[in-house]
Amino acid sequence: MSNNKKIIVTGSEGFIGKRLVEILKQQGNIVIPIDRKIGSEADSIINMLDDIDVVIHLAAQTSVFNTDYEQICKDNIITFVRICNACNDKNIKLVYASSSTANNCNTTSFYGLSKRFDEEYASIYCPSATGVRLHNVWSETPREGTLMWHLLNTNTVLYNNGLNERCFTYIDDAVYGLIYAIDSDDKLLNMVNYEPIKIC
């Protein structure tokens, strides 16, 4: 990716967003952070797209355990549609975070369904967009609520004697996957460490 791009990052205060903003700035890009935590809603960017090269859309409800379907629909579907349409209208590259739970065999939650919807919608209505399916992203300081966080901080009950296998992806690999997607013509990329490990 060439440097000196003007990039909007939604979800800039999130677990992945903070690291992404840091690396993009280190590469010499101008980054405009958008996050509910700093008083800006993701769909506000539709009025900010003049002179923008790329939108990286990470803002979303992210838990498979979330049962607030109205909020998931608002944040993960309605907001996504608005951003997707705006990027397509302005001919701006859209990179968005999808999830391993969008895969047909993994779609067992409304969160997963919402991400699957985003992939299908973007493929039709913003054909230059690239979705990045993220798989169990971790770091040395894992995001609260993730499996890794629970293993380190709570008395988590493990089934199958901890022999369950998961593919974990290091946060910097996820971030560089999102950056790679900026210049990709692919509609969908999987960002995953393909070597599964046992939980214990």
Side-chain angles (χ1 to χ4, degrees), residues 60-96:
Q61 298 294 316
T62 59
S63 174
V64 296
F65 304 109
N66 187 348
T67 57
D68 188 344
Y69 300 142
E70 186 174 336
Q71 192 67 53
I72 295 171
C73 188
K74 177 184 180 297
D75 290 343
N76 294 17
I77 296 175
I78 295 170
T79 296
F80 180 84
V81 166
R82 289 178 180 158
I83 290 172
C84 194
N85 290 345
C87 287
N88 189 61
D89 290 345
K90 296 278 190 177
N91 198 29
I92 294 169
K93 176 67 178 191
L94 172 64
V95 173
Y96 64 93

Side-chain angles (χ1 to χ4, degrees), residues 135-136 138 147-148 166-170 193 195 197 199:
H135 297 247
N136 302 309
W138 71 279
L147 174 61
M148 188 72 73
R166 298 280 293 268
C167 292
F168 290 92
T169 306
Y170 187 59
N193 171 9
E195 298 180 3
I197 62 170
I199 303 302

Side-chain angles (χ1 to χ4, degrees), residues 177-190:
L178 290 162
I179 293 170
Y180 172 83
I182 291 172
D183 292 321
S184 175
D185 293 327
D186 292 310
K187 292 185 184 299
L188 193 61
L189 298 169
N190 273 290

Side-chain angles (χ1 to χ4, degrees), residues 125-142:
Y125 294 104
C126 190
S128 66
T130 300
V132 180
R133 279 187 179 172
L134 301 172
H135 297 247
N136 302 309
V137 180
W138 71 279
S139 77
E140 292 81 359
T141 53

